[in-house]
Each structure stands twice: as structure tokens, then as C-alpha cells.
Amino acid sequence: MKKTHLYILFLILLSSITLAQNYFEAGGYAKYLFSSSEFPQLNERLYDHIIHSRLNTKYFFDDSFALKTEFRFRSFFGNSIKKIPNFSELIKTNQPLLDMDWLVWQNQNTVGYAEIDRLYLDYNANDVQLTVGRQRIAWGTSWVWNPTDLFNPLSILDFDYEELPGNDALRIQYYTGAVSKIEFALAPNRKKNKITSAALISYNAFDYDFNFIAGIKNNRWITGFSWVGDILGAGFRGEVTLQEKPERLSEYELLYSQFELQPISYSNKHFFSFVLSGDYTFPNSFYIHTEILFNNTGVKKFAGVFTKEASETGMLSPARLSVFQEFSYNISPLVRASIFGIFNPNDKSKVIVPSISYSIITNLDLYLIALIFNGDQFTQFGDYGTSVYARIKYSF
């Protein structure tokens, strides 16, 4: 039996030891997503369907000890399975330590994929909290880009995965006050040079929360800080990180040579990232949110070519500068409209994302969204086309 299966079996057996004297919670959702996506590389538009179900459970041994498990299953059918090479590999979630996913079926027309994306034990004793297993460790304070989120950085364009990926990790939190703590987290990896280990100190002063971090990620040291507070009722957030320059990734040299460019990893500078974020909600529910990201080693042209290398080196964007702008408004108590965009000022490419949500009845929601990419070839957003989505979701 695989080590992963033994790990899951151990937690399930542990959860049944004192079943009679404890309690259990369960919830989840089922949803259907239709998409119409333009693929410039294929020179055609593809139509796809996803049926997505999720089950979230939490079993309490007592007031201080709990086991949480979250499972999701997705079935895909449509044009992409036939048209996109290695489609079944592209939909899989990266699981760097334990494989807790299954390709349930695969044929020319449909693919079924299941995974456990949360499975952890949570123990609280006075001021100490210990969490072991697949969990989400979110250290960032900003809402679009989180360079201080060393374990689970998010992507705002991945709109259909509300829970976001987790990590197989050990996490220890010691609360030194009502709004202050010291935290340590360790995320092992099959590859020794990919282990993430870091500490965080959180402290409140002047009605602001300040977080200071230091650790090792991808075999490189990283340090930084973040804050969250408000100015005259407007949210004000920011994050700053400085990390050791990576080893040279020579495998990208041939690709970049045709553009007369060098890999990002050839830079002699340590990597510096800075995020500044502000948002405000007016009394009539109109909401505005602005955020910027600066990378000192980001590129000013052909950013789309650098996307893979940037991800591998821990950058949230290959661009030197990125600007985010969002507006939203409650048309009625049941309908909310929103539009946001991400703009690269250097290569002039952008993505615009309008959406509208409608609460049909209790626990049943309709969501319409489009991702409109625009820019020249090889720019950050110039090679993705336009996609529109319609989703209906029932929660229980």
C-alpha cells in the first residue's frame, strides 16, 4: 500500500476512536460550469462543461481537537479534451509531497478527476495551535498579489476554485495576545531543494497589523513584511519581500536567444517585490479597489515568454510593473456586478474581467464572467484570447 494511502487510513481510523462522544459537521456544494474559450494557438474556439462537486467535513474529538477533510470531484467533457494535448495532466493539482488525487476515468470525450485538497488535524491548547496535514497557510494581506504568502500564493484569475490549493505542512502558532502571534510552518517536498520553511511574527500597533517573515523557499533565503489597516475608512495594505537570487536556469537560454534576451535568473540582483493595495466601500455599496505590484527583476517586454521561468523562480508575475483596478456595485440585494482589470504599463497588454452574480434562491447562485485578454503577441496577456463562462452553484 502506498504511503499516501496509509496516511489517509490512519487519519480515518483516528477519527473513529471516540465517535460516540463527539460531533461531526458536513457541507459543500455542487456546480456546473459552461465555458466558451478562444485559443489563438489552435485558431479556434472551444466549448466545454465541468460538473464540480465538493464535500467538506469536520469531526471534533473535543473542544480542542478536530480533523478536517475536504474532497472535490470534477468531470470534464467538451472540445478541450480532444484538442489540447495532455489535457488530463493540465487539470491536475500539483501535490509536491503526498498524492491524494485520482484520475477516475479518461477517454476521448470525458475525464473524471478527484482529489483531497484538505486533510489535517487541528489541536488547540490554551495559546498554542498545532495543525498537521494538507491545509491552507495564507500569510498575505493583499487581495491580488501576495509575495509574503510563501506557501499558498493565490491567482485572482482562477475564479472557480474558491478554496484555493493547500499544502502538506506542519504549522505551529503561539498567540502572544488577542491580535499578535508567533508562527512557524514547514512544508516538506519530494525534492529537497523545494522545501519551504519559514517563521512569522504578527503584531498590532497604531491600529495596524504588521507581519514580519523570514525563511527558506526553493533553497533560497527570503525575508519580508506586510501590513493591513485603514486610512479614513479606506483599507490600506502592503507587502514587501527580498529573496536570494536563484541559480541560473540555463534551459531557458535557447528560447530567449531569439528575442536577444537573457533568463530572469541570470540577473545579479536579489529579487525584490513590492505590493501596495487600497480599497473603499461607499455607503451605496459602490466598491473600488486598486493594487500595484513591482518586481525589480521583472521584464519590460516579451513578458509572456517569461511566464514559466518567473513561476519557477517564485515571482508572481514576469512583468516589472502590474496594475490592478476593480469596481463593483450591488444592483439589488440579490444582484452584484463587478469589473476588474490587470494592466502591464510596459508592454501595454491587459486582461479585463467583467462579472455578475445573482442569488436565485437561498443556496442557489448564478454567476456570469468573462476573461478578455488583449495585447500584442508575446506580451503578458497577448496570447490568450477571450473566454466567457456561466456557472450555477448549489450549496448545502
Side-chain angles (χ1 to χ4, degrees):
M1 182 179 292
K2 292 183 178 180
K3 290 182 180 180
T4 301
H5 296 162
L6 289 173
Y7 173 75
I8 297 171
L9 180 61
F10 168 74
L11 292 181
I12 293 173
L13 290 174
L14 185 61
S15 69
S16 63
I17 293 175
T18 55
L19 181 62
Q21 57 184 349
N22 302 295
Y23 62 99
F24 178 80
E25 292 180 355
Y29 56 71
K31 57 186 178 181
Y32 162 73
L33 178 71
F34 167 78
S35 65
S36 171
S37 302
E38 178 186 1
F39 284 83
Q41 300 89 340
L42 301 175
N43 197 30
E44 63 179 304
R45 179 168 289 276
L46 304 182
Y47 300 90
D48 294 289
H49 313 266
I50 303 175
I51 297 175
H52 184 169
S53 57
R54 185 176 189 88
L55 178 63
N56 302 331
T57 68
K58 195 166 188 178
Y59 176 68
F60 296 86
F61 299 93
D62 54 40
D63 291 338
S64 61
F65 194 25
L67 169 68
K68 187 168 185 178
T69 305
E70 298 186 12
F71 169 86
R72 69 172 183 158
F73 173 74
R74 290 175 293 164
S75 57
F76 301 79
F77 51 101
N79 302 137
S80 293
I81 298 173
K82 296 180 179 179
K83 297 289 185 177
I84 299 178
N86 302 316
F87 176 83
S88 60
E89 293 298 317
L90 296 176
I91 64 172
K92 295 183 67 176
T93 302
N94 179 36
Q95 300 184 333
L97 183 63
L98 298 174
D99 292 324
M100 289 192 283
D101 61 334
W102 301 268
L103 196 61
V104 183
W105 74 77
Q106 178 181 11
N107 56 47
Q108 292 183 345
N109 300 308
T110 67
V111 173
Y113 178 62
E115 64 178 312
I116 296 174
D117 61 359
R118 300 287 191 280
L119 180 61
Y120 62 85
L121 290 166
D122 189 26
Y123 179 70
N124 292 272
N126 298 320
D127 298 326
V128 177
Q129 183 177 1
L130 173 65
T131 313
V132 182
R134 180 159 297 172
Q135 58 190 289
R136 179 159 181 82
I137 303 174
W139 284 0
T141 58
S142 300
W143 289 349
V144 180
W145 296 289
N146 299 121
T148 63
D149 200 345
L150 307 188
F151 296 89
N152 300 123
L154 59 84
S155 170
I156 196 170
L157 297 181
D158 188 9
F159 68 90
D160 196 44
Y161 192 8
E162 299 97 325
E163 297 77 17
L164 304 173
N167 242 342
D168 297 320
L170 165 68
R171 185 184 191 188
I172 303 172
Q173 301 177 79
Y174 173 61
Y175 292 88
T176 57
V179 289
S180 60
K181 66 177 178 178
I182 299 172
E183 181 174 344
F184 171 77
L186 170 66
N189 196 298
R190 295 186 186 96
K191 300 178 181 178
K192 293 183 179 180
N193 63 343
K194 294 295 184 180
I195 293 173
T196 301
S197 174
L200 173 145
I201 297 176
S202 183
Y203 184 73
N204 181 271
F206 313 108
D207 294 326
Y208 273 70
D209 291 325
F210 296 96
N211 304 298
F212 301 88
I213 67 165
I216 300 293
K217 182 175 182 178
N218 296 332
N219 211 31
R220 299 150 56 199
W221 59 259
I222 182 170
T223 185
F225 70 93
S226 64
W227 71 88
V228 57
D230 74 89
I231 300 176
L232 299 177
F236 179 54
R237 303 169 179 82
E239 301 185 32
V240 178
T241 57
L242 179 68
Q243 58 182 309
E244 183 181 5
K245 60 184 180 182
E247 295 183 359
R248 291 193 167 195
L249 301 176
S250 57
E251 62 266 31
Y252 294 100
E253 188 172 351
L254 180 61
L255 171 64
Y256 299 157
S257 64
Q258 58 185 306
F259 301 97
E260 298 182 350
L261 299 169
Q262 286 190 334
I264 295 173
S265 58
Y266 281 21
S267 171
N268 293 320
K269 303 176 183 177
H270 292 314
F271 283 20
F272 172 80
S273 295
F274 173 74
V275 172
L276 192 64
S277 175
D279 69 290
Y280 184 76
T281 302
F282 292 88
N284 65 352
S285 83
F286 183 73
Y287 174 78
I288 181 172
H289 174 203
T290 303
E291 192 162 315
I292 62 170
L293 167 67
F294 172 78
N295 294 311
N296 71 321
T297 54
V299 297
K300 293 185 177 181
K301 57 182 180 179
F302 303 117
V305 180
F306 290 86
T307 299
K308 186 176 180 180
E309 187 198 7
S311 176
E312 190 171 345
T313 56
M315 297 172 62
L316 301 181
S317 168
R320 178 69 56 89
L321 183 65
S322 300
V323 180
F324 171 91
Q325 183 63 60
E326 177 184 10
F327 303 99
S328 61
Y329 178 71
N330 289 339
I331 299 174
S332 77
L334 302 178
V335 180
R336 184 172 181 83
S338 175
I339 183 168
F340 74 77
I342 302 175
F343 176 62
N344 183 325
N346 294 121
D347 67 20
K348 304 299 187 293
S349 67
K350 57 186 172 292
V351 55
I352 299 173
V353 184
S355 66
I356 188 166
S357 61
Y358 172 48
S359 179
I360 302 172
I361 57 175
T362 302
N363 297 334
L364 185 64
D365 302 299
L366 176 66
Y367 188 55
L368 305 175
I369 185 171
L371 274 63
I372 305 168
F373 295 91
N374 183 264
D376 294 333
Q377 190 178 21
F378 305 125
T379 58
Q380 185 173 6
F381 302 113
D383 296 309
Y384 296 100
T386 297
S387 299
V388 294
Y389 303 86
R391 184 181 74 190
I392 189 165
K393 175 182 177 181
Y394 173 74
S395 303
F396 58 88

